[in-house]
Amino acid sequence: MSDAIRAVILGIIEGVTEFLPVSSTGHLLLAERFFHLGEGAFWDSFTVLIQLGAILAIVGLYFRKLWDVVIGFFTGDAYARRFVIGVLVAFLPAVVVGLVAGKYIKSVLFNPWVVCFTLIVGGAILLWVDKLDLKPREHDATRFPLLMYLYIGIAQCVAMIPGVSRSGASIVAAMLLGADKRAAAEFSFFLAIPTMIGAFAYDFYKNRSEMTMDHMGIVAIGFVVSFITAIIVVKTFLTYVTRHGFVVFAWWRVIVGTLGLIALALGR
């Protein structure tokens, strides 16, 4: 299989799974393990770098709202400033945990057995939350209380375990704290912007000397594919979860995790 085709496939996986509560990291690790996609140091960096494509999809889709927040922040709008502070407050726990335990998590937990187990457990949690008779009181992701932003950020740290899902952890936390499904999903999108830009910048800086022009071309392919795919998925996802909830994503996690465990047990 050519590198260009691998880049397209991995770009699709990234774009489809990044903002769904199914774990993009988990799916990429399983794609590497069972289909030999993305093996090697370059491909490890590749899967981080193409996340920027998915992030730019969010920036494009929410450009007007984000622009209003930026303008409001500099013109003294209290809600805009509180939202910016809220995103930073939610982002900081992941920075701290990443600096303290990031190497340990990658060396110990980044394996397909962990991914499959956490996919199943996360699916069960989604099914449980989806059946709760929650009474949402927060309907705007830009106006959550500051403590709520902090608690969501702490919950997001659990997603450093591959297979948990960053979006899944933040959505579940937001819903349990009083957000409706749409607002919970939208805030997971907004929180992804600093989280994933930070991961992109760190990985690119760390591996910049090893990046050749050929490598950059492959990254560009994955970047564009993840960007286009993420736009389609996000627009569809918000409408779907508002009407139908998370059951289909929960069962997807359980099925993928179970099939993965069976394959691993058989020595595949």
Side-chain angles (χ1 to χ4, degrees), residues 59-266:
V59 173
L61 288 170
Y62 286 94
F63 180 80
R64 179 61 183 269
K65 181 174 285 190
L66 293 172
W67 182 253
D68 288 344
V69 167
V70 172
I71 296 300
F73 181 82
F74 288 106
T75 56
D77 184 287
Y79 285 111
R81 289 187 173 179
R82 194 167 66 86
F83 176 60
V84 172
I85 293 170
V87 172
L88 292 176
V89 165
F91 169 59
L92 284 177
V95 174
V96 174
V97 174
L99 291 174
V100 173
K103 289 184 179 179
Y104 172 82
I105 291 171
K106 279 207 166 186
S107 63
V108 175
L109 299 180
F110 270 56
N111 71 73
W113 286 98
V114 171
V115 169
C116 292
F117 278 116
T118 52
L119 282 173
I120 294 170
V121 172
I125 292 172
L126 272 180
L127 286 172
W128 169 67
V129 171
D130 206 60
K131 290 182 179 180
L132 291 176
D133 185 23
L134 298 173
K135 306 296 184 185
R137 58 184 181 277
E138 301 292 343
H139 307 284
D140 186 342
T142 65
R143 299 198 176 194
F144 292 169
L146 283 178
L147 269 180
M148 185 171 172
Y149 288 127
L150 175 62
Y151 294 148
I152 294 171
I154 292 171
Q156 181 186 232
C157 295
V158 181
M160 291 186 179
I161 303 171
V164 170
S165 170
R166 181 203 54 77
S167 61
S170 56
I171 287 171
V172 166
M175 287 177 61
L176 292 176
L177 290 166
D180 65 29
K181 292 173 182 177
R182 187 180 187 91
E186 286 190 330
F187 185 68
S188 80
F189 301 159
F190 298 142
L191 182 55
I193 296 174
T195 303
M196 291 164 62
I197 287 178
F200 170 88
Y202 174 76
D203 203 274
F204 184 81
Y205 176 80
K206 184 175 66 174
N207 297 290
R208 67 192 187 285
S209 61
E210 299 175 13
M211 288 287 176
T212 65
M213 288 305 297
D214 287 341
H215 286 159
M216 294 305 294
I218 297 300
V219 170
I221 293 172
F223 176 96
V224 171
V225 172
S226 69
F227 172 80
I228 295 171
T229 309
I231 285 179
I232 297 170
V233 167
V234 168
K235 292 178 73 173
T236 306
F237 174 62
L238 279 175
T239 302
Y240 182 88
V241 298
T242 301
R243 296 177 180 174
H244 306 290
F246 299 97
V247 172
V248 67
F249 306 108
W251 281 112
W252 173 261
R253 293 177 63 106
V254 172
I255 291 168
V256 171
T258 302
L259 291 176
L261 288 178
I262 293 171
L264 290 169
L266 293 173

Side-chain angles (χ1 to χ4, degrees), residues 9-29 51 54 119 165-168 189 196 226 229-230 233-234 237 249 252-253 256:
I9 295 173
L10 292 172
I12 292 172
I13 294 173
E14 166 63 27
V16 168
T17 60
E18 183 59 55
F19 300 110
L20 301 183
V22 298
S23 177
S24 60
T25 301
H27 279 73
L28 290 167
L29 282 172
Q51 290 177 348
L119 282 173
S165 170
R166 181 203 54 77
S167 61
F189 301 159
M196 291 164 62
S226 69
T229 309
V233 167
V234 168
F237 174 62
F249 306 108
W252 173 261
R253 293 177 63 106
V256 171

